[in-house]
Amino acid sequence: MSIINFIITNILTQAAITIALIAMLGLILQKKSIGQIIAGTFKTLLGFMVLSAGAGIIVGSLIYFGKIFTEGFHMQGIIPSIEAINGQAMNELGLGSPIAFTFLAIFVVNIIIARYTKWKYIFLTGQAILWMATMCTVFGYSAGFRGATLIIVGGVVGGIFAVAMPAFAQPLIRTITGSDDIALGHFCTIGYLFEAGVAKLVGNPEESTEDIELPKGFEFLQDTYLSVMVVMVPLYLITAFFAGPEFGGNLAGHTDYLVYAFLQAIQFVVGVYVLLAGVRLILAEIVPAFRGIAMKLVPNAIPALDCPVLFPYAPHAVIIGFVTTTIGTVIAMFVLPMFGLAMILPGMLTNFFAGGTAGIFGNATGGKRGAIIGGIAHGFFITLLPALLVTIFSHLGFANATATDVDTVAAALLYAWIITPLMSIF
Amino acid sequence: MFFFKKKNQSTDVAASTTKTEVVGPDLRVRIEQLKNELEVANSDLRIQILNELGSKLFALQETDAAIQYYELSIQENRSLGKAYTDLLKLYNIKRKEAALSNNDKQVQQYLNKIDALMKLSKDVIRGLD
């Protein structure tokens, strides 16, 4: 009995060990050599430690930003970053182990649904499943679930989303790609369908975005971290300027308050860099194992792939989607506080990937006019939904951040608006 | 409903098989021609021939050969045209075949190739050559 207690209290509650054990299970199931199993398990363990270090850096920078924003603008300024939410949940809130088990449970539920129903979608974007596991665990925890129930409910909710989202998008994916060979595995699908709906109302699919001339690429987007920096540096500097030299100076110590703000902005980017390096280390071992198993158990699966898989079908729409979504997020940033909601700052990574993909959907149902108007509406929509979560996040102790991917936000709202009230009845 | 769907699918397969049988010999002649032209072609013409070879071999359901030419095309010219979208389909076919024959190594190999295609599309859109 004391051994079981030891395992439960000292091993299964330690997220780093839990995640490493899950990776080890995957490697054993793949019949890897002893050397590969040991190396993979320890790399995953290392990955979690790197992720935790990144989370610490992000939180430090976000706490500083929260203080200067409140002083400068007399309202709450929120940075949309699912990485920051994941890092804080795993690290500060101590939910790392349940998140790891929920991640595994989502895979299992997805495989069961695909194996035994007509919905053959296997969600292959590991990072997106990690974000979904995070949101299901955080909001399940907030709803009062604990232990195995927290993981099972999270696995079922996340697993259903992992099949339902590709299934909902599939009619349009068929229009875009001309076949049923692949599906879309990116938890921003509700936003894509929203843009497609708006575009259908206002546009004409015959007048495609692909018939117009556009620049080939955006140089600042060539590097993921550079694109985050392009937004974060001016954001921190402007906020520090409005907070003033006295307030900013108190936080900056002996450094000039604007230089300190600049360095804190860079710290945020460093945090994202480190955290994502940790995520990559973790997923590099776990994802190949489980997607291999999934493909074997459901050989006729339709693989639900990450959003860049759609970019070649309408590259101009991607650029239009990015630009218009950014415009929509900027509009929402100023409009939402008028309705008593927090100010959500634009997130460039989401705007690029989710906005770009949404542009393809907008073009498919409403051509260039649909992609432009639908894109602005999409930007507003993907800012509004995370704004609704801010109060709950703050209540749970998260520092000045909210989630980004709208399907994970929808899952969180399902917990907050439906499951939690139901729990309080029983 | 399910029954009808299945019936339609089998009709489609029959139709495409018939089509392949009819155009097959012509296609093979054209493929040989293209292979000869490829030996002396360069730059844009070479890419065009590689893509046509990929497309014709795909029509003949010679998956491995089609992949070979399309991969060469993508290697020599990183772009998001038909070579990309056909390669995605071909890799998926190979992935399915590998899964059905329980070949784990090949399942991973083709999933990794699909990952590489996604990276390519991300890079091209961002203007990275």
Side-chain angles (χ1 to χ4, degrees):
Chain A
M1 197 61 196
S2 62
I3 295 172
I4 294 170
N5 269 340
F6 178 83
I7 291 172
I8 291 171
T9 52
N10 289 289
I11 296 178
L12 295 183
T13 51
Q14 293 301 315
I17 299 176
T18 312
I19 290 170
L21 288 175
I22 290 173
M24 190 170 83
L25 173 74
L27 292 162
I28 292 170
L29 288 173
Q30 280 187 101
K31 298 182 186 118
K32 294 275 181 184
S33 69
I34 301 275
Q36 284 172 317
I37 292 170
I38 294 172
T41 307
F42 277 93
K43 262 200 251 174
T44 311
L45 189 72
L46 179 72
F48 184 81
M49 296 302 188
V50 174
L51 182 150
S52 298
I57 301 170
I58 292 177
V59 170
S61 171
L62 281 178
I63 289 173
Y64 164 79
F65 180 76
K67 284 179 185 165
I68 55 168
F69 198 93
T70 312
E71 176 67 20
F73 301 111
H74 305 291
M75 66 168 99
Q76 210 183 354
I78 300 289
I79 291 176
S81 167
I82 189 78
E83 297 87 359
I85 294 295
N86 172 258
Q88 291 187 65
M90 283 213 165
N91 219 19
E92 271 75 13
L93 267 72
L95 291 174
S97 275
I99 289 173
F101 281 122
T102 305
F103 179 82
L104 184 62
I106 291 174
F107 261 122
V108 173
V109 173
N110 184 177
I111 293 172
I112 292 171
I113 297 173
R115 180 85 176 82
Y116 296 107
T117 73
K118 63 175 183 173
W119 293 288
K120 299 292 176 197
Y121 304 99
I122 294 283
F123 203 99
L124 292 181
T125 316
Q127 205 157 304
I129 295 182
L130 182 62
W131 307 149
M132 181 58 90
T134 304
M135 295 292 273
C136 288
T137 308
V138 167
F139 283 81
Y141 188 83
S142 165
F145 295 117
R146 297 291 181 274
T149 321
L150 176 65
I151 293 157
I152 293 166
V153 174
V156 171
V157 171
I160 291 172
F161 267 81
V163 176
M165 291 303 131
F168 288 153
Q170 199 58 17
L172 281 166
I173 296 295
R174 218 173 287 133
T175 311
I176 293 163
T177 66
S179 77
D180 253 334
D181 295 331
I182 54 152
L184 180 62
H186 194 224
F187 281 135
C188 297
T189 307
I190 293 174
Y192 303 150
L193 297 178
F194 177 79
E195 164 145 2
V198 173
K200 193 171 183 173
L201 287 176
V202 299
N204 174 9
E206 301 300 315
E207 292 167 6
S208 171
T209 52
E210 304 316 293
D211 301 333
I212 50 177
E213 284 285 321
L214 278 177
K216 270 204 153 183
F218 287 87
E219 278 186 7
F220 79 95
L221 283 169
Q222 289 182 359
D223 184 286
T224 303
Y225 305 102
L226 185 64
S227 60
V228 179
M229 222 184 296
V230 163
V231 177
M232 287 304 160
V233 169
L235 205 61
Y236 273 58
L237 281 175
I238 293 167
T239 309
F241 179 78
F242 276 93
E246 199 182 325
F247 187 86
N250 285 339
L251 297 169
H254 295 298
T255 316
D256 175 74
Y257 80 111
L258 288 177
V259 174
Y260 188 79
F262 173 78
L263 293 174
Q264 283 296 320
I266 304 293
Q267 278 291 90
F268 180 84
V269 185
V270 170
V272 173
Y273 185 95
V274 175
L275 190 139
L276 286 179
V279 168
R280 268 192 284 274
L281 269 171
I282 294 172
L283 296 183
E285 301 301 326
I286 295 180
V287 170
F290 289 99
R291 70 184 188 179
I293 294 164
M295 288 299 154
K296 246 169 76 175
L297 290 174
V298 194
N300 55 345
I302 302 177
L305 302 166
D306 202 356
C307 61
V309 79
L310 291 185
F311 291 177
Y313 295 94
H316 289 173
V318 176
I319 306 294
I320 291 173
F322 164 61
V323 174
T324 53
T325 294
T326 303
I327 295 169
T329 55
V330 172
I331 295 171
M333 175 174 81
F334 292 113
V335 171
L336 295 182
M338 293 177 195
F339 295 91
L341 292 162
M343 182 178 265
I344 309 284
L345 304 155
M348 277 300 137
L349 284 184
T350 309
N351 287 355
F352 177 65
F353 288 108
T357 313
I360 300 171
F361 278 75
N363 178 50
T365 57
K368 56 190 170 197
R369 190 181 155 85
I372 292 168
I373 298 172
I376 296 170
H378 174 254
F380 195 94
F381 182 74
I382 65 166
T383 310
L384 171 67
L385 251 63
L388 302 174
L389 293 181
V390 169
T391 320
I392 309 173
F393 273 132
S394 302
H395 182 70
L396 288 167
F398 283 86
N400 298 298
T402 188
T404 47
D405 303 17
V406 283
D407 297 352
T408 69
V409 175
L413 291 172
L414 175 77
Y415 274 99
W417 290 348
I418 297 170
I419 298 176
T420 308
L422 281 176
M423 283 284 287
S424 60
I425 293 171
F426 300 110
Chain B
M1 194 69 186
F2 182 68
F3 178 76
F4 282 122
K5 199 177 168 191
K6 210 169 178 182
K7 196 176 171 187
N8 284 343
Q9 272 173 349
S10 60
T11 317
D12 287 349
V13 171
S16 78
T17 315
T18 318
K19 199 179 165 191
T20 307
E21 277 166 8
V22 172
V23 294
D26 287 345
L27 266 183
R28 292 206 180 278
V29 172
R30 178 70 186 136
I31 285 167
E32 287 313 310
Q33 265 177 3
L34 286 167
K35 280 181 183 170
N36 291 334
E37 286 170 25
L38 186 66
E39 283 174 17
V40 288
N42 47 34
S43 62
D44 284 354
L45 180 64
R46 182 174 159 80
I47 301 299
Q48 211 180 311
I49 295 173
L50 284 170
N51 288 346
E52 204 179 332
L53 274 167
S55 171
K56 300 247 180 301
L57 287 160
F58 191 6
L60 286 173
Q61 294 173 0
E62 291 188 17
T63 319
D64 290 317
I67 288 176
Q68 190 196 329
Y69 286 107
Y70 272 142
E71 280 183 346
L72 263 178
S73 161
I74 290 264
Q75 241 172 47
E76 293 177 21
N77 176 38
R78 284 161 57 87
S79 66
L80 304 180
K82 192 168 182 291
Y84 181 104
T85 52
D86 273 1
L87 259 183
L88 188 66
K89 285 181 190 164
L90 287 159
Y91 288 159
N92 207 25
I93 292 169
K94 293 296 288 182
R95 192 267 313 154
K96 200 182 273 185
E97 282 173 7
L100 286 168
S101 60
N102 255 333
N103 188 338
D104 291 345
K105 211 175 148 192
Q106 224 170 59
V107 167
Q108 292 294 353
Q109 188 193 338
Y110 284 100
L111 284 171
N112 290 339
K113 279 177 184 272
I114 290 172
D115 284 346
L117 273 186
M118 283 194 284
K119 188 178 176 312
L120 172 79
S121 82
K122 223 172 5 177
D123 287 352
V124 172
I125 289 284
R126 286 168 152 180
L128 289 167
D129 289 318

